[in-house]
Amino acid sequence: MIYIVMGVSGCGKSTIGERLGKELSLPFYDADDFHPIENITKMASGKPLNDADRAPWLQLLAEKIVEWEAKGGAVIACSALKQAYRDTLTSTTEDMVKFVFLEGSKAVLHARLTSRESHFMPNTLLDSQLSTLEVPHEAIKVSIENSIEQIISLILKDISK
């Protein structure tokens, strides 16, 4: 199974994804590590990515998902903000992908982004991400108001259903 921990920047995708991977004994991958340098440079300069920027990155991830699923599964941190992006990610193996949506208020997200260091994504792009976000209908939804331990527990409880 492939678990994609998704949400806007600052919601804790990498932290939760890495921890979930350990709990499930699955490798963890951060989708940001697969962005081409042009995308990183664009975001670092404060410009949001558009669909054309994201398309090759999402297609690469869809191909990697097939590879990771064949090796026994994985946990991936990926914003996956639009349904079209999620459709691309699942285009190669739809029945083997489960989304985990980390949701939180703009105030909490902004506070997290403001305190975060050494990340290419500036907090000025939060509004852009929130306006792009299409809340998934079929996902495990967990509030980031919970502690990391509570979030992991809620995800694992839902997975075991």
Side-chain angles (χ1 to χ4, degrees):
M1 181 63 80
I2 302 291
Y3 297 95
I4 299 178
V5 181
M6 61 160 292
V8 299
S9 188
C11 71
K13 294 180 296 291
S14 297
T15 300
I16 298 301
E18 191 169 4
R19 189 77 175 272
L20 183 61
K22 286 179 184 170
E23 290 289 330
L24 296 172
S25 299
L26 292 173
F28 168 74
Y29 301 96
D30 192 322
D32 286 345
D33 294 339
F34 296 88
H35 270 297
I37 191 66
E38 298 83 14
N39 286 7
I40 302 279
T41 303
K42 186 172 184 177
M43 288 183 284
S45 72
K47 296 176 185 162
L49 298 180
N50 59 39
D51 288 354
D53 298 324
R54 287 185 181 96
W57 170 68
L58 291 166
Q59 189 56 50
L60 172 63
L61 290 171
E63 293 164 12
K64 289 288 189 185
I65 285 171
V66 172
E67 179 183 315
W68 296 329
E69 195 274 323
K71 292 180 179 178
V75 177
I76 307 163
C78 181
S79 53
L81 298 176
K82 288 184 177 181
Q83 183 61 50
Y85 305 161
R86 295 187 291 273
D87 290 345
T88 298
L89 290 169
T90 60
S91 64
T92 53
T93 180
E94 185 171 334
D95 58 334
M96 297 304 292
V97 177
K98 183 72 174 173
F99 288 93
V100 177
F101 176 47
L102 302 178
E103 53 188 348
S105 70
K106 181 178 177 181
V108 169
L109 292 163
H110 188 268
R112 286 181 174 197
L113 288 171
T114 303
S115 66
R116 185 163 73 174
E117 295 179 19
S118 319
H119 194 274
F120 64 85
M121 179 83 150
N123 63 11
T124 54
L125 291 180
L126 178 59
D127 285 336
S128 169
Q129 287 217 328
L130 288 170
S131 67
T132 301
L133 176 65
E134 296 172 2
V135 175
H137 299 291
E138 295 191 25
I140 298 169
K141 296 179 184 175
V142 184
S143 170
I144 62 171
E145 305 279 336
N146 293 302
S147 70
I148 293 171
E149 291 75 21
Q150 289 170 319
I151 292 171
I152 295 298
S153 177
L154 289 166
I155 294 168
L156 292 173
K157 182 178 177 183
D158 198 289
I159 288 172
S160 67
K161 288 182 186 174

